[in-house]
Amino acid sequence: MTRLSGSGISRGVAEYGLAYSLLSLTKAAVAFLSRRLTAAWGNGGTCIPFKPILYRAADGSRSLSMESAPMALPMSDPNAWATAMNNLRMAPLGIAGQPMLPDFDPALGMMTGIPPITPIMPGLGIVPPPIPPDMPVAKEIIHCKSCTLFPPNPNLPPPATRERPPGCKTVFVGGLPENGTEQIIVEVFEQCGDIIAIRKSKKNFCHIRFAEEFMVDKALYLSGYRIRLGSSTDKKDTGRLHVDFAQARDDLYEWECKQRMLAREERHRRRMEEERFRPPSPPPVVHYSDHECSIVAEKLKDDSKFSEAVQTLLTWIERGEVNRRSANNFYSMIQSANSHIRRLVNEKAAHEKGMEEAKEKFKQALAGILVQFEQIVAVYHSASKQKAWDHFTKAQRKNISVWCKQAEEIRNIHNDELMGIRREEEMEMSDEEIEDPNDPKENDDSALVSQTEALKEENDSLRWQVDAYRNEVELLKQEQGKMSRDEDVTKEQQLKLLQQALQGMQQHLLKLQDEYQRKETELDKVKDEKMQLEKLLENLQEQECRVSRICVSNQENDPLERTPTCTPVKSEREALLVGIISTFLHVHPFGASIEYICSYLQRLDTKICTSEVETLMSRLQCTFKQEMTGVGASLEKRWKFCGFDGLKMT
């Protein structure tokens, strides 16, 4: 490691100060050129003039910055003042000099040794410092006649409130003490403003309607306070107030009426403005006469009264005042109007000449300014080389790079403007060449000049495009970093959504499995019941076969006693019904009503009616019998199966 002597150190410090002072002068030159460009342009077009601004960074260092557009903000709005200074990368200062934005980047300081700008300086006006929304507001104890309000913990988050209804004048107050009265509520909230009405509930809350809307904001200040009646510590004498916006029909009606009134006033104001700016109606045109004709003829010769006289002449012609007697007078007036054409053409040519001269002056001034901008950008690029770049601090390097980018942007904008002017001139020249093809030598010279200028412009445009591509590459790198972070976040969200969807599908599958098992058990039960019914039918058929055999054997044994008798069972359907009813009543030994029996049979065949079943059972007295059961109102007729007893008797 080499050791530096005292003279070497002092020489390095001097060189460092000289380089930075040169950069400061370059910055001042940029501001001077911007003012000249604004004056040359007449404050028009897409010019972005710079304005040097002195400000103080958050770390207390004094610095210099440039404004990309003239500030025209009302100084009475502190939020607009703070936003504008933040956009200009300045730490806004309050009246006492404290920073208005606590999270301002301290690395944006630029030049030292310059006093800070404050709103108390002449020409800026006094701007009160706004209160940050995150800053806790210290609340104090409020003493009333019959109660005391204790403030909430300032470290706790502010109480939540609902969205404010339009025209809200009513608040909801909850958390009142159980022993609180309407007089105590009035005593606490009358400090916020005039109270119109109070609706108190038995459940420790009430609604208060104030006279004006701003009083609601004062009442919301009391939200979170703990109220205590007197000096009592009983729970019924204490409570925590919760004040919130309330939606009331009266407030909404008054707000709508006010809005309608404002709309009417606005319509009336617009109508008055339209009437005020409406052009006055033209004066009535006099009727034609020889005297008026002579007056109009004299006015037509005067340049200042020409437009009025022409309007009168036009009206007379449209009215049909031209006849054989007055034709000569009208012809002389038309001839006077025609004499003004040459004057108008000369005026137009003079104006066009003045416009061309102004364009030429503007183009020359713009070209000179662009040359100086090129020199300034060259200074920035030379300062950015490693030979000089290593001697600057980090903050100074950042400031130099910012200045360089701003100067390049302004240079590109102005260069585009100059190229547009030159393209317009070339288009006009090409039109003139098409119109006047008789000057080949002049055309060749102009073509060579235009080619050289076009080559120069192409060279400049290519160089500017390279600079623009470099800036775009840097921006793309930054955006790719942001996109990668955003993609990670989106992938995590998609995974969470897929997991939730899988969980929902698993739950749905479990439900379907439970339903499938339940259906299977029901199907097994139905199959068992079907098997039992089939067995019962087989038993009934066997019994019928036995009965038929017994009857045949009896007829064969007693052929003399056979007489044509009518059987109670007339068809196979009735036999099946008898078998099913017998089986059903055998399962119910205490009998069953005819309605119960029919409801069971109608499950098998819906065409079965009660009267048919009852007549069939009444014919078979040896198989079924009817008994009365119950006492009084519960008296009921029931049918029982007595086939086994009847078989024994027969």
Side-chain angles (χ1 to χ4, degrees), residues 233-403:
T233 58
D234 192 5
K235 288 185 177 180
K236 295 183 178 181
D237 295 334
T238 60
R240 183 182 293 278
L241 297 179
H242 175 69
V243 186
D244 198 354
F245 300 109
Q247 194 168 4
R249 286 189 296 245
D250 297 339
D251 298 345
L252 183 60
Y253 176 73
E254 289 183 2
W255 181 78
E256 290 177 349
C257 291
K258 187 177 179 181
Q259 293 299 315
R260 286 194 290 269
M261 184 183 68
L262 292 174
R264 287 195 297 271
E265 291 178 355
E266 181 66 19
R267 287 197 298 270
H268 178 70
R269 186 186 63 79
R270 288 181 181 176
R271 190 160 50 249
M272 294 298 292
E273 288 288 332
E274 290 175 358
E275 291 178 358
R276 189 164 64 88
F277 288 106
R278 186 179 299 164
S281 58
V285 179
V286 296
H287 292 282
Y288 175 78
S289 65
D290 293 338
H291 176 68
E292 294 294 336
C293 180
S294 62
I295 294 173
V296 171
E298 292 296 329
K299 287 183 178 179
L300 286 172
K301 296 176 182 178
D302 190 358
D303 296 342
S304 60
K305 300 179 181 179
F306 174 75
S307 57
E308 180 184 354
V310 164
Q311 187 65 32
T312 305
L313 176 61
L314 177 63
T315 306
W316 285 348
I317 294 173
E318 290 178 350
R319 282 181 184 176
E321 300 288 346
V322 182
N323 51 32
R324 186 172 293 178
R325 186 177 63 85
S326 61
N328 293 329
N329 295 332
F330 276 100
Y331 179 77
S332 63
M333 287 189 289
I334 293 171
Q335 190 175 7
S336 299
N338 185 45
S339 64
H340 284 272
I341 294 176
R342 183 176 296 175
R343 177 181 61 84
L344 296 174
V345 171
N346 293 332
E347 288 182 0
K348 180 187 175 185
H351 288 304
E352 287 180 351
K353 185 177 180 182
M355 185 178 68
E356 292 295 332
E357 291 177 356
K359 279 186 179 180
E360 190 65 26
K361 288 181 181 179
F362 172 70
K363 188 173 68 173
Q364 292 176 1
L366 187 60
I369 291 170
L370 284 175
V371 170
Q372 296 182 29
F373 264 115
E374 290 290 343
Q375 294 173 355
I376 293 170
V377 172
V379 170
Y380 287 140
H381 285 306
S382 61
S384 301
K385 292 180 181 178
Q386 189 173 5
K387 186 176 180 180
W389 189 255
D390 295 339
H391 298 285
F392 297 116
T393 62
K394 187 177 181 181
Q396 291 170 350
R397 292 175 186 173
K398 189 172 184 180
N399 295 337
I400 292 169
S401 60
V402 169
W403 295 342

Side-chain angles (χ1 to χ4, degrees), residues 60 100 120 187 202 209 260 274 433 490 497 599 601:
M100 297 166 72
I120 306 180
E187 182 181 347
K202 297 179 181 180
R209 189 164 188 262
R260 286 194 290 269
E274 290 175 358
E433 288 173 1
T490 53
L497 292 173
S599 65
L601 293 174

Side-chain angles (χ1 to χ4, degrees), residues 533-550:
L533 288 173
E534 288 178 355
K535 288 179 181 179
L536 289 173
L537 287 172
E538 290 177 358
N539 293 331
L540 286 173
Q541 289 177 359
E542 290 177 358
Q543 289 179 4
E544 287 179 359
C545 292
R546 290 175 185 174
V547 170
S548 62
R549 289 174 185 172
I550 291 168

Side-chain angles (χ1 to χ4, degrees), residues 9 67 101 104 120 198 237 299 317 342 367 465 484 527:
I9 293 172
E67 186 181 8
L101 298 175
F104 189 80
I120 306 180
I198 295 177
D237 295 334
K299 287 183 178 179
I317 294 173
R342 183 176 296 175
Q465 285 177 4
S484 61
K527 287 181 180 179

Side-chain angles (χ1 to χ4, degrees), residues 128 149 152 168 225 239 242 297 311 343 349 401 414 437 474 556 583 635:
L149 299 175
C168 180
Y225 269 80
H242 175 69
Q311 187 65 32
R343 177 181 61 84
S401 60
H414 296 166
E474 293 178 358
E556 290 177 354
T583 307
L635 193 64

